[in-house]
Amino acid sequence: MNEESPTKWVPDIPASLGRVARAKPKILVVEDMDVVLEMYLRTLKGAGYDVVGCPTKAEGIEAIEQHRDFDAALLDFSLPDGTALDLIPVLLDNKPLTKALVVTGQDDEEVPAQLMSAGAHGYIQKPVEDASLLAGIGATVRA
C-alpha cells in the first residue's frame, strides 16, 4: 500500500512577499469570551490549523509583534479594550499580506463598511457555526 505524503499548503504568491509555505496555516484568534475562544481554537485545530488565541486587543497586539508570521486572523469585533478596527492596522503594518476575518454581533449597517475600509478581508455575523467558521477562515487563508 502506497501512502501519500501530506500535501503542504502553498500560497499563491512568492514567500519573499511575506507568506511562508508550511504544513499548517497559522491563525491568530482574538475573542474575549472564553467559551467562544475555546470553541474557535478547538474547531480550527481540528481542521489542521496552527492557532494562537488571545482574549484582548492588547494580547492580540503582543502576539502579532511576537509571532509576525500569521497567515490569517480571526478577530472578534468588540473586545474589552478596543475593537477589531484597532487590531487590523497593527496586523497589516506587521505583515501586509495577512488577511483578517472579523466576527461581529453588531447590528449596525456601518460596521461592514468600516471593516472593509480598514483592510479586513471579510466578516461573519454571530452566532457562528463550525461550518461557517471553517468556510470563512478557509477562504481568508486562500485569499
Side-chain angles (χ1 to χ4, degrees), residues 50-131:
D50 181 12
V51 295
V52 174
C54 302
T56 65
K57 177 188 89 169
E59 289 181 47
I61 290 171
E62 186 178 317
I64 291 166
E65 292 170 349
Q66 204 170 53
H67 294 272
R68 294 185 180 263
D69 64 343
F70 292 108
D71 297 297
L74 179 67
L75 310 173
D76 184 17
F77 180 78
S78 296
L79 299 163
D81 54 349
T83 70
L85 294 170
D86 302 322
L87 278 168
I88 293 168
V90 176
L91 187 68
L92 296 176
D93 284 348
N94 278 277
K95 191 169 173 202
L97 297 175
T98 303
K99 304 292 186 216
L101 179 65
V102 180
V103 179
T104 180
Q106 301 290 317
D107 217 8
D108 187 344
E109 292 178 10
E110 296 291 318
V111 170
Q114 291 173 334
L115 291 170
M116 296 303 117
S117 64
H121 173 73
Y123 72 96
I124 301 175
Q125 194 71 33
K126 285 184 179 180
V128 179
E129 299 293 324
D130 287 357

Side-chain angles (χ1 to χ4, degrees), residues 27-31 37-38 41 51-56 59-60 63 70:
I27 312 295
L28 170 65
V29 181
V30 183
E31 166 60 60
L37 177 60
E38 289 305 315
L41 295 175
V51 295
V52 174
C54 302
T56 65
E59 289 181 47
F70 292 108

